Amino acid sequence: MPDQLASTKAGACLVSNRFEASVPAHVAVLRAVHPFREFVKVARLMHGDALRPQSWFGNAGIAPSARHRSDGASEDGVIVDPLAVIGPNAEIGSGTVIGSGAVIGVNVRIGRDCNVGAHTAIQCALIGDNVLIHPGCSIGQDGYGFVFFGPDVI
């Protein structure tokens, strides 16, 4: 790290006492006992919108290419990106974003202010509020709640 610090072009750096002497003269020193922890605090203040993923396509509703069964009970303010599929009787809470190509199965319940990443598949599930599901996840698939028995068990 001292080599990187010596060559930085930053205007300021969060550093612990251990590295303070290595900071170039043109860089303002921001002392911190735990520099990374303080960096996270600053980043959250400056870029709070990045903490809550939004539609990758700037949608403010259900994209025309999404398939959403109207027999479910989705609340107002749900965002569904292109090519997502929401099955019969699925319920989605307000403020939730469903990513492109995601598949939400029959009777799935997803709470408020959630983010379901692109190409995620969810079936046989109840998802609470404020849940972040990263792109490509599979929830409720084979292996979830199944018990395997030997050939002599009926």
Side-chain angles (χ1 to χ4, degrees), residues 99-141:
S100 181
V103 178
I104 310 302
V106 177
N107 299 319
V108 168
R109 306 288 186 265
I110 300 173
R112 294 180 175 144
D113 298 314
C114 294
N115 186 277
V116 176
H119 300 287
T120 293
I122 301 174
Q123 65 181 2
C124 304
L126 170 61
I127 309 293
D129 295 339
N130 299 304
V131 175
L132 173 63
I133 301 171
H134 292 280
C137 288
S138 294
I139 296 174
Q141 312 307 313

Side-chain angles (χ1 to χ4, degrees), residues 1 4 30 53 59 82-83 86 93 129 148-150 153:
M1 180 168 141
Q4 293 173 336
L30 303 173
N59 286 341
L83 304 176
I86 300 174
D129 295 339
F148 295 95
F149 296 101
V153 177

Side-chain angles (χ1 to χ4, degrees), residues 14-90:
L14 284 159
V15 295
S16 64
N17 289 340
R18 177 179 172 198
F19 294 105
E20 185 174 352
S22 302
V23 177
H26 72 278
V27 177
V29 174
L30 303 173
R31 284 180 217 88
V33 175
H34 302 287
F36 185 71
R37 185 179 301 162
E38 297 306 317
F39 169 77
V40 170
K41 288 179 185 177
V42 169
R44 285 178 181 229
L45 287 171
M46 293 177 68
H47 303 287
D49 56 334
L51 295 173
R52 170 110 176 57
Q54 301 296 314
S55 167
W56 290 2
F57 299 90
N59 286 341
I62 299 173
S65 64
R67 298 291 174 250
H68 185 274
R69 292 284 301 259
S70 61
D71 52 0
S74 293
E75 296 178 342
D76 292 336
V78 172
I79 296 173
V80 182
D81 276 346
L83 304 176
V85 177
I86 300 174
N89 299 314

